[in-house]
Amino acid sequence: MSDFDKLTPKQIVEELDKYIVGQSKAKKAVAIAIRNRIRRQRLSDEWKKEITPKNILMIGPTGVGKTEIARRLAQLSGSPFLKIEATRFTEVGYVGKNVDSMIRELVEIAVNMVKQQKMKEVEEKAKLNVEERILDALVPLKKRTQIPFANIFGMQMEKPQQTDDYSENLRKREELRRKLRSGELDNEEIEIEIETSNSPIGFIGLPEMEDIGMDLSNVLGNIFPKQKKRRKMKISEAKKVLLPIEEEKLIDMDETVQTALELAQNRGIIFIDEMDKIAAKTGSAGQDVSRQGVQRDLLPIVEGTTITTKYGPVKTDYILFIAAGAFHVSKPSDLIPELQGRFPIRVELEPLKEEDFVRILVEPENALTKQYQALLYTENVQLEFTDDGIKELARVSYKLNQKLENIGARRLYTVLEKVLEDVLFEAPEIEEKVIVDSDYVTKKLKGIIEDEDLTSYIL
């Protein structure tokens, strides 16, 4: 059992609080949904089949934390996570991506996740193999033996004698191994052999092979075998290039794929953004023929079906779907009734207030102010934000959201970037300490805020 599996819904919310300000209702809903998956894993097989995840529909303006909540939840739980926009899909028969592709992408993410974990497990052994390959390039070690002439005719039964060259090479290798481990040889140049794939990317006129669940590399593996290419590089670079190659040789890909399929099916999370864009607006029937078609294509996947991928069939019954949208023009009730029923948990996220902006700038572990402080610290510039400076940044951002388009917390990026533009440009030539107070913020933004036309373009 992983550490995350021991967390209660309250503790999951506390973990999310470290990165996301407010939105307690949304955090509570996702914490319950993810905890129910852990509870399901503890049930008997008979009950496991009956219990499916309760999908969530998040409703709220842009920049309030919808995507971030889902992304952080997936990171905490170690779940394969895919974020896609509903608008990228089109109904079968139209130009665009088919909805099935989201499951294939999720499986690909799961395979890469498991592969990385397995590669980490064999890292130490792979490092030894890399060492051997580098030493082979420096001092080739071929076991040469002397076979007496008489032995060819079976006249003597003496054991073959090793040549002096072999012993000398062995001694050289051990001496170089010591230097290699200490990093003395990192700048030396060697020539190594690397496998490269020679298969074509695709064929004109054919759909993407992935979209029809085919692995082109396996089909054409024998026709276009991997070619070996010799490359010259420094030993320090060779270590980085050869390590993943040697790690891949040590892992069992069949086992990796099976684990990944299990992970995608039982712990996968798919975040479908811009759901409101495929909802037909009331009274606009026939305006966009493809919208309802996308909803109908989404329905079986969210409901539970089997999708063919290049790694094998994948059941979507137990994948957690989190849909989100602003729903300014259309409403959740504009979605087709069958799809509405597949998102039983509705959560409304609140627009951000001025005090929320203050908290966003200070509280999260990855707060924007902390990010800029860390960046400038690398140039020996100490950046300090005073309380009144933080409040002024929050006030300006909130005011601009009210005045222009409301883009939520993303407004802080544009405002803060503009305020710190000169500091970021002049570092490290400026003085060691820069204090950002309310006067500093006002001075940097005054001209832009007063000119409405300029504001709409720059901030």
Side-chain angles (χ1 to χ4, degrees), residues 325-402:
F327 289 98
H328 285 316
V329 181
S330 56
K331 304 185 293 293
S333 57
D334 292 331
L335 293 166
I336 60 171
E338 297 89 339
L339 195 61
Q340 285 181 51
R342 290 293 155 189
F343 290 91
I345 302 170
R346 305 274 177 91
V347 184
E348 199 161 339
L349 284 86
E350 299 147 16
L352 298 172
K353 302 184 185 77
E354 195 174 316
E355 50 268 33
D356 291 326
F357 281 115
V358 173
R359 290 179 62 199
I360 288 166
L361 285 167
V362 180
E363 288 179 19
E365 287 190 5
N366 63 334
L368 269 178
T369 50
K370 294 173 188 173
Q371 289 178 30
Y372 281 107
Q373 282 170 333
L375 283 171
L376 286 166
Y377 188 72
T378 62
E379 305 268 24
N380 297 318
V381 176
Q382 194 181 341
L383 187 65
E384 190 183 306
F385 291 89
T386 63
D387 288 346
D388 64 330
I390 294 278
K391 282 176 184 172
E392 183 61 18
L393 284 166
R395 188 192 69 78
V396 169
S397 300
Y398 179 73
K399 189 181 168 186
L400 287 167
N401 269 352
Q402 298 298 103

Coordinates of all heavy atoms in Angstrom, one line a residue, residues 325-402:
G325 N -15.9 23.4 -17.3 CA -16.3 24.4 -18.3 C -16.8 25.6 -17.6 O -17.2 25.6 -16.4
A326 N -16.7 26.8 -18.2 CA -17.2 28.0 -17.6 C -18.7 28.1 -17.6 O -19.3 28.7 -16.7 CB -16.6 29.2 -18.4
F327 N -19.3 27.5 -18.7 CA -20.8 27.5 -18.8 C -21.4 29.0 -18.7 O -22.3 29.2 -17.9 CB -21.5 26.6 -17.8 CG -21.2 25.1 -18.2 CD1 -20.2 24.4 -17.6 CD2 -22.0 24.5 -19.2 CE1 -19.9 23.1 -17.9 CE2 -21.7 23.1 -19.5 CZ -20.7 22.4 -18.9
H328 N -20.8 29.9 -19.4 CA -21.3 31.3 -19.4 C -22.5 31.4 -20.3 O -23.5 32.0 -19.9 CB -20.2 32.3 -19.8 CG -19.1 32.5 -18.8 ND1 -19.4 32.8 -17.5 CD2 -17.7 32.6 -19.0 CE1 -18.2 33.0 -16.9 NE2 -17.2 32.9 -17.7
V329 N -22.3 30.9 -21.5 CA -23.4 31.0 -22.5 C -24.3 29.8 -22.4 O -25.5 30.0 -22.3 CB -22.8 31.1 -23.9 CG1 -23.9 31.3 -24.9 CG2 -21.8 32.3 -24.0
S330 N -23.8 28.6 -22.5 CA -24.6 27.4 -22.3 C -24.7 27.0 -20.9 O -24.0 27.5 -20.0 CB -24.0 26.3 -23.2 OG -22.7 26.1 -22.8
K331 N -25.5 26.0 -20.6 CA -25.7 25.5 -19.2 C -25.5 24.0 -19.2 O -25.6 23.4 -20.2 CB -27.1 25.8 -18.7 CG -27.5 27.3 -18.8 CD -28.9 27.5 -18.1 CE -30.1 26.9 -18.9 NZ -30.3 27.5 -20.2
P332 N -25.1 23.4 -18.0 CA -24.9 22.0 -18.0 C -26.2 21.2 -18.5 O -26.1 20.2 -19.0 CB -24.7 21.7 -16.5 CG -24.1 23.0 -16.0 CD -24.8 24.1 -16.7
S333 N -27.3 21.8 -18.3 CA -28.6 21.2 -18.8 C -28.7 21.2 -20.3 O -29.6 20.5 -20.8 CB -29.8 21.9 -18.2 OG -29.8 23.3 -18.5
D334 N -27.8 21.9 -21.0 CA -27.8 21.9 -22.5 C -27.1 20.7 -23.0 O -27.1 20.4 -24.2 CB -27.2 23.2 -23.0 CG -28.0 24.4 -22.8 OD1 -29.2 24.2 -22.7 OD2 -27.4 25.5 -22.6
L335 N -26.4 20.0 -22.1 CA -25.7 18.7 -22.6 C -26.8 17.7 -22.8 O -27.9 17.8 -22.2 CB -24.7 18.2 -21.5 CG -23.5 19.1 -21.3 CD1 -22.8 18.6 -20.0 CD2 -22.5 18.9 -22.4
I336 N -26.5 16.6 -23.6 CA -27.6 15.6 -23.8 C -27.8 14.9 -22.5 O -26.9 14.7 -21.7 CB -27.2 14.6 -24.9 CG1 -25.9 13.9 -24.6 CG2 -27.1 15.3 -26.3 CD1 -25.6 12.7 -25.6
P337 N -29.1 14.6 -22.2 CA -29.5 14.0 -20.9 C -28.6 12.8 -20.4 O -28.2 12.7 -19.3 CB -30.9 13.6 -21.0 CG -31.4 14.4 -22.2 CD -30.3 14.7 -23.1
E338 N -28.3 11.9 -21.4 CA -27.5 10.7 -21.1 C -26.1 11.1 -20.5 O -25.6 10.4 -19.6 CB -27.3 9.8 -22.3 CG -28.6 9.3 -22.9 CD -29.3 10.2 -23.9 OE1 -29.0 11.4 -23.9 OE2 -30.1 9.7 -24.7
L339 N -25.5 12.1 -21.1 CA -24.2 12.5 -20.7 C -24.3 13.3 -19.3 O -23.4 13.1 -18.5 CB -23.5 13.5 -21.8 CG -22.0 13.7 -21.6 CD1 -21.2 12.4 -21.7 CD2 -21.5 14.7 -22.7
Q340 N -25.3 14.0 -19.1 CA -25.5 14.7 -17.8 C -25.5 13.7 -16.7 O -24.9 13.9 -15.7 CB -26.8 15.5 -17.8 CG -26.8 16.8 -18.6 CD -28.2 17.4 -18.5 OE1 -28.7 17.6 -17.4 NE2 -28.8 17.8 -19.7
G341 N -26.2 12.6 -17.0 CA -26.4 11.5 -16.0 C -25.1 10.8 -15.6 O -24.9 10.2 -14.6
R342 N -24.1 11.0 -16.5 CA -22.8 10.3 -16.3 C -21.8 11.2 -15.5 O -20.7 10.8 -15.2 CB -22.1 9.9 -17.6 CG -22.8 8.8 -18.3 CD -22.7 7.5 -17.6 NE -23.8 6.6 -17.9 CZ -24.0 5.4 -17.2 NH1 -23.2 5.1 -16.2 NH2 -25.0 4.6 -17.6
F343 N -22.3 12.4 -15.2 CA -21.5 13.3 -14.3 C -22.4 13.7 -13.1 O -22.8 14.9 -13.0 CB -21.0 14.6 -15.1 CG -19.9 14.2 -16.1 CD1 -20.3 13.9 -17.4 CD2 -18.6 14.2 -15.8 CE1 -19.3 13.6 -18.4 CE2 -17.6 13.9 -16.7 CZ -18.0 13.6 -18.0
P344 N -22.6 12.8 -12.2 CA -23.6 13.0 -11.1 C -23.1 14.1 -10.1 O -23.9 14.7 -9.5 CB -23.7 11.6 -10.5 CG -22.4 10.9 -10.8 CD -22.0 11.4 -12.1
I345 N -21.8 14.3 -10.0 CA -21.3 15.2 -9.0 C -21.1 16.6 -9.6 O -20.2 16.7 -10.5 CB -20.1 14.7 -8.2 CG1 -20.4 13.4 -7.6 CG2 -19.6 15.7 -7.2 CD1 -19.2 12.6 -7.0
R346 N -21.8 17.6 -9.3 CA -21.7 18.9 -9.8 C -21.0 19.8 -8.8 O -21.5 19.9 -7.6 CB -23.0 19.5 -10.2 CG -23.8 18.7 -11.2 CD -23.4 18.9 -12.6 NE -24.2 18.0 -13.5 CZ -25.3 18.3 -14.0 NH1 -25.9 19.5 -13.8 NH2 -25.9 17.4 -14.9
V347 N -20.0 20.5 -9.1 CA -19.3 21.4 -8.2 C -19.2 22.8 -8.9 O -18.6 22.9 -10.0 CB -17.9 20.9 -7.8 CG1 -17.3 21.8 -6.8 CG2 -18.0 19.5 -7.3
E348 N -19.6 23.8 -8.2 CA -19.5 25.2 -8.7 C -18.3 25.9 -8.0 O -18.2 26.0 -6.8 CB -20.8 26.0 -8.5 CG -20.8 27.2 -9.4 CD -22.2 27.7 -9.6 OE1 -23.2 27.0 -9.3 OE2 -22.3 28.9 -9.9
L349 N -17.3 26.3 -8.8 CA -16.2 27.0 -8.3 C -16.4 28.5 -8.3 O -17.0 29.1 -9.2 CB -14.9 26.7 -9.1 CG -14.3 25.3 -8.9 CD1 -15.0 24.3 -9.8 CD2 -12.8 25.3 -9.1
E350 N -16.0 29.1 -7.2 CA -16.3 30.6 -7.0 C -15.2 31.4 -7.7 O -14.0 31.1 -7.7 CB -16.2 30.9 -5.5 CG -17.3 30.1 -4.7 CD -16.8 29.8 -3.3 OE1 -15.8 30.4 -2.8 OE2 -17.4 28.9 -2.6
P351 N -15.7 32.6 -8.2 CA -14.7 33.5 -8.8 C -13.8 34.0 -7.7 O -14.2 34.1 -6.6 CB -15.6 34.6 -9.4 CG -17.0 34.0 -9.5 CD -17.1 33.0 -8.4
L352 N -12.6 34.4 -8.1 CA -11.6 34.8 -7.1 C -11.8 36.3 -6.7 O -12.1 37.1 -7.5 CB -10.2 34.7 -7.7 CG -9.7 33.3 -8.1 CD1 -8.4 33.3 -8.8 CD2 -9.6 32.4 -6.9
K353 N -11.7 36.5 -5.4 CA -11.9 37.8 -4.8 C -10.5 38.4 -4.6 O -9.5 37.7 -4.7 CB -12.6 37.8 -3.4 CG -14.0 37.1 -3.5 CD -14.6 37.2 -2.2 CE -16.0 36.4 -2.1 NZ -15.8 35.0 -2.1
E354 N -10.4 39.7 -4.2 CA -9.2 40.4 -4.0 C -8.3 39.7 -2.9 O -7.1 39.5 -3.1 CB -9.4 41.9 -3.6 CG -8.2 42.7 -3.7 CD -8.5 44.2 -3.5 OE1 -9.5 44.7 -4.0 OE2 -7.7 44.8 -2.8
E355 N -9.0 39.3 -1.8 CA -8.2 38.6 -0.7 C -7.7 37.2 -1.2 O -6.7 36.8 -0.7 CB -9.1 38.5 0.5 CG -10.5 37.9 0.4 CD -11.6 38.9 0.1 OE1 -11.3 40.0 -0.5 OE2 -12.7 38.7 0.6
D356 N -8.4 36.6 -2.2 CA -7.9 35.3 -2.7 C -6.6 35.6 -3.4 O -5.6 34.8 -3.4 CB -8.9 34.7 -3.7 CG -10.1 34.2 -2.9 OD1 -10.0 33.8 -1.8 OD2 -11.2 34.3 -3.5
F357 N -6.5 36.7 -4.2 CA -5.2 37.0 -4.9 C -4.1 37.2 -3.9 O -2.9 36.8 -4.2 CB -5.4 38.3 -5.7 CG -6.1 38.1 -7.0 CD1 -7.4 38.6 -7.3 CD2 -5.6 37.3 -8.0 CE1 -8.1 38.4 -8.5 CE2 -6.2 37.1 -9.2 CZ -7.5 37.6 -9.5
V358 N -4.4 37.9 -2.8 CA -3.3 38.1 -1.7 C -2.8 36.7 -1.3 O -1.6 36.5 -1.2 CB -3.9 38.9 -0.6 CG1 -2.8 38.9 0.6 CG2 -4.2 40.3 -1.0
R359 N -3.7 35.8 -1.0 CA -3.4 34.4 -0.5 C -2.6 33.7 -1.6 O -1.6 33.0 -1.3 CB -4.6 33.7 -0.1 CG -5.3 34.2 1.2 CD -6.5 33.4 1.5 NE -6.2 32.0 1.8 CZ -7.1 31.1 1.8 NH1 -8.3 31.3 1.5 NH2 -6.7 29.8 2.0
I360 N -3.0 33.8 -2.8 CA -2.4 33.1 -4.0 C -0.9 33.5 -4.1 O 0.0 32.7 -4.4 CB -3.1 33.3 -5.3 CG1 -4.5 32.5 -5.3 CG2 -2.3 32.8 -6.5 CD1 -5.4 32.9 -6.3
L361 N -0.6 34.8 -3.8 CA 0.7 35.3 -3.9 C 1.6 34.9 -2.8 O 2.9 35.0 -2.9 CB 0.7 36.8 -4.0 CG 0.2 37.5 -5.3 CD1 0.0 38.9 -5.2 CD2 1.3 37.2 -6.5
V362 N 1.0 34.4 -1.7 CA 1.9 34.1 -0.5 C 1.8 32.7 0.0 O 2.8 32.1 0.3 CB 1.4 35.1 0.7 CG1 2.2 34.8 1.9 CG2 1.5 36.5 0.3
E363 N 0.6 32.1 0.0 CA 0.4 30.8 0.7 C 0.9 29.6 0.0 O 1.6 28.7 0.6 CB -1.1 30.6 1.1 CG -1.5 31.6 2.2 CD -3.0 31.4 2.5 OE1 -3.6 30.3 2.2 OE2 -3.6 32.3 3.2
P364 N 0.6 29.3 -1.3 CA 1.0 28.0 -1.9 C 2.5 27.8 -1.8 O 3.3 28.7 -1.8 CB 0.5 28.2 -3.3 CG -0.5 29.2 -3.3 CD -0.1 30.2 -2.3
E365 N 2.9 26.5 -1.8 CA 4.3 26.2 -1.7 C 5.1 26.6 -3.0 O 6.3 26.9 -3.0 CB 4.5 24.7 -1.5 CG 4.1 24.2 -0.1 CD 4.5 22.8 0.2 OE1 5.1 22.1 -0.7 OE2 4.2 22.3 1.3
N366 N 4.3 26.7 -4.1 CA 4.9 27.1 -5.4 C 4.4 28.5 -5.7 O 4.3 28.8 -6.9 CB 4.6 26.1 -6.5 CG 3.1 26.0 -6.7 OD1 2.3 26.3 -5.8 ND2 2.7 25.7 -7.9
A367 N 4.1 29.4 -4.8 CA 3.6 30.7 -5.0 C 4.5 31.5 -6.0 O 5.7 31.3 -6.0 CB 3.5 31.5 -3.7
L368 N 3.8 32.4 -6.8 CA 4.6 33.1 -7.8 C 5.7 34.0 -7.2 O 6.8 34.1 -7.8 CB 3.6 34.0 -8.6 CG 2.9 33.5 -9.8 CD1 2.0 34.5 -10.4 CD2 3.9 33.1 -10.9
T369 N 5.4 34.6 -6.1 CA 6.5 35.4 -5.5 C 7.7 34.6 -5.1 O 8.8 35.0 -5.3 CB 5.9 36.1 -4.2 OG1 5.3 35.1 -3.4 CG2 4.9 37.2 -4.5
K370 N 7.4 33.4 -4.6 CA 8.6 32.5 -4.2 C 9.3 32.0 -5.5 O 10.5 31.9 -5.4 CB 8.0 31.3 -3.5 CG 7.4 31.6 -2.1 CD 6.7 30.4 -1.5 CE 6.0 30.8 -0.3 NZ 5.2 29.6 0.3
Q371 N 8.6 31.9 -6.6 CA 9.3 31.4 -7.8 C 10.2 32.5 -8.3 O 11.4 32.2 -8.7 CB 8.2 31.2 -8.9 CG 7.4 29.9 -8.7 CD 6.3 29.7 -9.7 OE1 6.5 30.1 -10.9 NE2 5.2 29.1 -9.4
Y372 N 9.8 33.8 -8.3 CA 10.6 34.9 -8.8 C 11.8 35.1 -7.8 O 12.9 35.4 -8.3 CB 9.8 36.2 -8.9 CG 9.0 36.2 -10.2 CD1 7.6 36.1 -10.2 CD2 9.6 36.4 -11.4 CE1 6.9 36.1 -11.3 CE2 8.9 36.5 -12.6 CZ 7.5 36.3 -12.5 OH 6.8 36.3 -13.7
Q373 N 11.6 34.9 -6.5 CA 12.7 35.0 -5.5 C 13.7 34.0 -5.8 O 14.9 34.3 -5.8 CB 12.1 34.9 -4.1 CG 11.4 36.1 -3.6 CD 10.7 35.9 -2.3 OE1 10.2 34.8 -2.0 NE2 10.5 37.0 -1.5
A374 N 13.3 32.8 -6.1 CA 14.2 31.7 -6.4 C 15.0 31.9 -7.7 O 16.2 31.7 -7.7 CB 13.5 30.3 -6.5
L375 N 14.3 32.4 -8.7 CA 15.0 32.7 -10.0 C 16.1 33.8 -9.8 O 17.2 33.6 -10.3 CB 14.0 33.2 -11.0 CG 13.1 32.2 -11.7 CD1 12.0 32.9 -12.5 CD2 13.9 31.3 -12.6
L376 N 15.7 34.9 -9.1 CA 16.7 36.0 -8.9 C 17.8 35.7 -7.9 O 18.9 36.2 -8.0 CB 16.0 37.3 -8.6 CG 15.2 37.9 -9.7 CD1 14.2 39.0 -9.2 CD2 16.1 38.5 -10.8
Y377 N 17.5 34.7 -7.1 CA 18.6 34.3 -6.1 C 19.8 33.7 -6.8 O 20.9 33.8 -6.3 CB 18.0 33.4 -5.0 CG 18.9 33.0 -3.9 CD1 19.1 34.0 -2.9 CD2 19.5 31.8 -3.8 CE1 20.0 33.8 -1.9 CE2 20.4 31.5 -2.7 CZ 20.6 32.5 -1.8 OH 21.5 32.2 -0.7
T378 N 19.5 33.0 -7.9 CA 20.6 32.4 -8.7 C 21.5 33.5 -9.3 O 22.7 33.2 -9.6 CB 20.0 31.6 -9.9 OG1 19.3 32.5 -10.8 CG2 19.1 30.5 -9.5
E379 N 21.1 34.8 -9.3 CA 21.9 35.9 -9.8 C 22.4 36.7 -8.6 O 22.8 37.9 -8.8 CB 21.1 36.8 -10.8 CG 20.5 36.0 -11.9 CD 21.4 36.0 -13.2 OE1 22.6 36.2 -13.0 OE2 20.8 35.9 -14.3
N380 N 22.3 36.2 -7.4 CA 22.6 36.9 -6.1 C 21.9 38.2 -5.9 O 22.4 39.1 -5.4 CB 24.2 37.2 -6.1 CG 25.0 35.9 -6.1 OD1 24.6 34.9 -5.4 ND2 26.0 35.9 -6.9
V381 N 20.6 38.2 -6.4 CA 19.7 39.3 -6.2 C 18.6 38.9 -5.2 O 17.9 37.9 -5.4 CB 19.1 39.8 -7.5 CG1 18.1 41.0 -7.2 CG2 20.2 40.3 -8.5
Q382 N 18.5 39.6 -4.1 CA 17.5 39.3 -3.1 C 16.3 40.1 -3.4 O 16.3 41.3 -3.4 CB 18.1 39.6 -1.7 CG 17.3 39.0 -0.6 CD 17.8 39.3 0.8 OE1 19.0 39.7 0.9 NE2 17.0 39.2 1.8
L383 N 15.2 39.4 -3.6 CA 13.9 40.0 -4.0 C 13.0 39.9 -2.7 O 12.8 38.8 -2.2 CB 13.3 39.3 -5.2 CG 12.0 40.0 -5.8 CD1 12.3 41.3 -6.4 CD2 11.4 39.0 -6.8
E384 N 12.5 41.1 -2.3 CA 11.6 41.1 -1.1 C 10.3 41.7 -1.4 O 10.2 42.8 -2.0 CB 12.3 41.8 0.0 CG 11.6 41.7 1.4 CD 12.3 42.5 2.5 OE1 13.5 42.3 2.6 OE2 11.6 43.3 3.1
F385 N 9.2 41.1 -1.1 CA 7.8 41.6 -1.3 C 7.3 42.0 0.1 O 7.2 41.2 1.0 CB 6.9 40.6 -1.9 CG 7.2 40.2 -3.3 CD1 8.1 39.2 -3.6 CD2 6.7 40.9 -4.4 CE1 8.4 38.8 -4.9 CE2 7.0 40.5 -5.7 CZ 7.8 39.5 -6.0
T386 N 6.9 43.3 0.2 CA 6.3 43.8 1.5 C 4.8 43.5 1.4 O 4.3 43.2 0.4 CB 6.5 45.3 1.6 OG1 5.8 46.0 0.6 CG2 8.0 45.7 1.6
D387 N 4.2 43.5 2.6 CA 2.8 43.2 2.7 C 1.9 44.2 1.9 O 1.0 43.8 1.2 CB 2.3 43.3 4.2 CG 2.8 42.2 5.0 OD1 3.3 41.2 4.4 OD2 2.8 42.2 6.2
D388 N 2.3 45.5 1.9 CA 1.5 46.5 1.1 C 1.8 46.3 -0.4 O 0.9 46.5 -1.2 CB 1.8 47.9 1.5 CG 3.3 48.4 1.3 OD1 4.1 47.5 1.4 OD2 3.5 49.5 1.1
G389 N 3.0 45.8 -0.8 CA 3.3 45.5 -2.2 C 2.4 44.3 -2.7 O 1.9 44.4 -3.8
I390 N 2.3 43.3 -1.9 CA 1.5 42.1 -2.2 C 0.0 42.6 -2.4 O -0.6 42.2 -3.3 CB 1.6 41.0 -1.1 CG1 3.0 40.4 -1.0 CG2 0.5 39.9 -1.3 CD1 3.4 39.4 -2.0
K391 N -0.5 43.4 -1.4 CA -1.9 43.9 -1.5 C -2.1 44.7 -2.7 O -3.2 44.6 -3.4 CB -2.2 44.7 -0.2 CG -2.5 43.8 1.0 CD -2.7 44.6 2.2 CE -2.8 43.7 3.5 NZ -2.9 44.5 4.7
E392 N -1.1 45.5 -3.1 CA -1.3 46.4 -4.3 C -1.3 45.5 -5.6 O -2.1 45.7 -6.5 CB -0.1 47.4 -4.4 CG -0.2 48.4 -5.5 CD -1.5 49.3 -5.5 OE1 -2.1 49.4 -4.4 OE2 -1.8 49.8 -6.6
L393 N -0.5 44.5 -5.6 CA -0.5 43.5 -6.8 C -1.8 42.8 -6.9 O -2.4 42.7 -8.0 CB 0.6 42.5 -6.6 CG 2.1 42.9 -6.9 CD1 3.1 41.9 -6.3 CD2 2.3 43.1 -8.4
A394 N -2.4 42.4 -5.7 CA -3.7 41.7 -5.7 C -4.8 42.7 -6.1 O -5.7 42.3 -6.9 CB -3.9 41.2 -4.3
R395 N -4.7 44.0 -5.6 CA -5.7 44.9 -6.0 C -5.8 45.3 -7.5 O -6.8 45.3 -8.1 CB -5.5 46.2 -5.1 CG -6.6 47.3 -5.2 CD -6.2 48.6 -4.6 NE -5.2 49.3 -5.5 CZ -5.4 49.9 -6.6 NH1 -6.7 50.0 -7.1 NH2 -4.5 50.5 -7.3
V396 N -4.6 45.5 -8.0 CA -4.5 45.8 -9.5 C -5.0 44.6 -10.3 O -5.7 44.8 -11.3 CB -3.0 46.1 -9.8 CG1 -2.8 46.2 -11.3 CG2 -2.6 47.4 -9.2
S397 N -4.6 43.4 -9.9 CA -5.0 42.2 -10.7 C -6.5 42.0 -10.6 O -7.2 41.7 -11.7 CB -4.3 40.9 -10.1 OG -2.9 41.1 -10.2
Y398 N -7.1 42.2 -9.5 CA -8.5 42.0 -9.3 C -9.3 43.1 -10.1 O -10.3 42.8 -10.8 CB -8.9 42.1 -7.8 CG -10.4 42.0 -7.5 CD1 -11.0 40.8 -7.7 CD2 -11.2 43.1 -7.2 CE1 -12.4 40.6 -7.5 CE2 -12.5 43.0 -7.0 CZ -13.1 41.7 -7.1 OH -14.5 41.6 -6.9
K399 N -8.8 44.4 -10.0 CA -9.4 45.5 -10.7 C -9.4 45.3 -12.2 O -10.4 45.5 -12.9 CB -8.7 46.8 -10.3 CG -9.3 48.0 -10.8 CD -8.5 49.3 -10.4 CE -9.0 50.5 -11.1 NZ -8.1 51.7 -10.9
L400 N -8.3 44.8 -12.7 CA -8.1 44.5 -14.2 C -9.1 43.4 -14.6 O -9.6 43.4 -15.7 CB -6.7 44.1 -14.5 CG -5.7 45.3 -14.5 CD1 -4.3 44.7 -14.6 CD2 -5.9 46.2 -15.7
N401 N -9.3 42.4 -13.8 CA -10.2 41.3 -14.1 C -11.6 41.8 -14.2 O -12.4 41.3 -15.0 CB -10.1 40.2 -13.0 CG -9.1 39.1 -13.4 OD1 -8.6 39.1 -14.5 ND2 -8.8 38.2 -12.5
Q402 N -11.9 42.8 -13.3 CA -13.3 43.4 -13.3 C -13.5 44.2 -14.6 O -14.6 44.3 -15.2 CB -13.5 44.2 -12.1 CG -13.4 43.4 -10.7 CD -14.5 42.4 -10.6 OE1 -14.2 41.2 -10.8 NE2 -15.7 42.7 -10.4

